[in-house]
Amino acid sequence: MSKIKDLFESGKFKSAFIPYFTLGDPNYNDSIEFGKTILDGGADILELGIPFSDPVADGPVIQRAVARSLKNKFSFDEIFRVTKQIHLHKQETPLVYLTYFNPIYHCGITKFLDNAKDSGVVGLVIPDLPFDTIESETLFQELRLRDMDLIHLVTPASTKKRIEALRKTSTGFIYYVTSFGVTGERREFSVDLKERIRFLKDTIQLPICAGFGISTPEQASQIAGYADGIIIGSAIQRVIEENGQDASKAKNVLADYITKIRASIT
C-alpha cells in the first residue's frame, strides 16, 4: 500500500504542503539540518532534489543550487546517507526524490530503488522521463514491487488523450505544472488553473498537487482551495541561497517561511 495514498486518504489536512530543496546545497551535512527544519515546520511530504548537471526542468534559482551542490564530491552513498538521516528525524513523513533519469540509469535501477527505499523514499518525480517509454514502464513495475510511487508531471500543454493514457502508470499523486516554462517564482497563474485541476481530478482520480511558481502564503492559500497539494521549491531554495553560509540563520529563516506557508493552507 502506498504511503502517499494513505496520507491523502487520512483527512489530516485540507491541502498537502510539499516543500522541495536540493540536497548538498551548500553541503550535505547542512542539508540534513535543513531537511529536519522543514519537517518540523509542517511538511506533509518532503521532496528532495538529487543534483544533476543538466536540470532541464529547473529555473535559475534551482540551477544555481545544483551548481553549488555539485561543487561537493557527488556520490550516491552520500545522497542516501543524508536522505536516511532526514527520514529518521520524522519517519511518518513521506520523502520523494525529484531526479532525472540519467542518475538512476547510471546507478542501476534496482540498486537505486533498493537504496532509496531503505533511505525512506516512497516515490519518484522524474521530469525528463515520458510515461509512454519502455524505461518508464520498467521503472513503474520495479516501483510497484517496492510499494513506491511513480509521480508523473502534467503541464498546461498536456492533451486529454495523453492525460487519460498516463493513468495506467500513475500512483501517489499528479504533479501539475501550473504554467509553461521552468521552475521559478511567479506573480500570476493561468486564469483556468482551477478548471484544469478539477478536470485532472475527474480524469485521473488521483490527488492533484500544484507546483512551479508558488512562493507566497497568499498564493498557497488561493491554490489550496482547489488543489490537493501545494509544491514549493524555488522560494525555499532562495532562502538557502541567501542564508546558506550561516546554517543557523538559514534554519531560522526557513522555519519562519515554512510555518507561514503551512498556516496559510491549514
Side-chain angles (χ1 to χ4, degrees), residues 15-199:
S15 187
F17 177 30
I18 309 175
Y20 162 95
F21 75 102
T22 303
L23 294 175
D25 176 27
N27 60 68
Y28 286 105
N29 286 332
D30 282 352
S31 289
I32 296 172
E33 298 308 311
F34 297 158
K36 291 178 179 179
T37 298
I38 293 170
L39 290 177
D40 288 341
D44 296 301
I45 298 170
L46 178 55
E47 190 177 0
L48 302 172
I50 297 178
F52 176 56
S53 57
D54 190 21
V56 294
D58 293 310
V61 174
I62 294 178
Q63 286 181 12
R64 292 194 298 269
V66 169
R68 289 190 298 271
S69 178
L70 289 175
K71 289 181 180 179
N72 304 302
K73 184 178 179 181
F74 177 87
S75 76
F76 281 109
D77 287 343
E78 194 70 349
I79 291 290
F80 296 134
R81 177 188 73 84
V82 169
T83 303
K84 192 163 191 175
Q85 289 301 307
I86 295 171
H87 167 64
L88 291 174
H89 181 68
K90 191 166 284 191
Q91 297 182 43
E92 67 273 19
T93 304
L95 302 182
V96 170
Y97 276 147
L98 187 147
T99 184
Y100 293 85
F101 186 67
N102 184 281
I104 299 174
Y105 181 79
H106 178 77
C107 182
I109 290 175
T110 57
K111 180 181 178 181
F112 178 88
L113 295 182
D114 287 342
N115 281 283
K117 182 171 183 178
D118 181 66
S119 302
V121 171
V122 299
L124 300 180
V125 181
I126 309 175
D128 65 340
L129 183 63
F131 76 91
D132 53 351
T133 60
I134 294 174
E135 293 82 2
S136 182
E137 179 63 30
T138 299
L139 191 60
F140 177 69
Q141 296 300 333
E142 291 292 337
L143 285 163
R144 286 185 66 183
L145 292 174
R146 296 165 176 79
D147 294 322
M148 298 170 72
D149 290 309
L150 181 56
I151 299 159
H152 286 304
L153 285 83
V154 172
T155 76
S158 300
T159 65
K160 182 179 180 181
K161 183 177 180 180
R162 286 186 67 81
I163 290 170
E164 290 174 341
L166 64 78
R167 291 175 59 182
K168 294 185 294 185
T169 58
S170 296
T171 56
F173 64 87
I174 293 295
Y175 188 138
Y176 183 65
V177 177
T178 58
S179 53
F180 292 101
V182 295
T183 59
E185 298 153 274
R186 290 172 172 80
R187 292 183 180 180
E188 297 179 352
F189 299 94
S190 59
V191 293
D192 64 343
L193 179 59
K194 184 175 181 179
E195 288 70 25
R196 290 283 295 178
I197 288 175
R198 285 181 173 170
F199 166 75

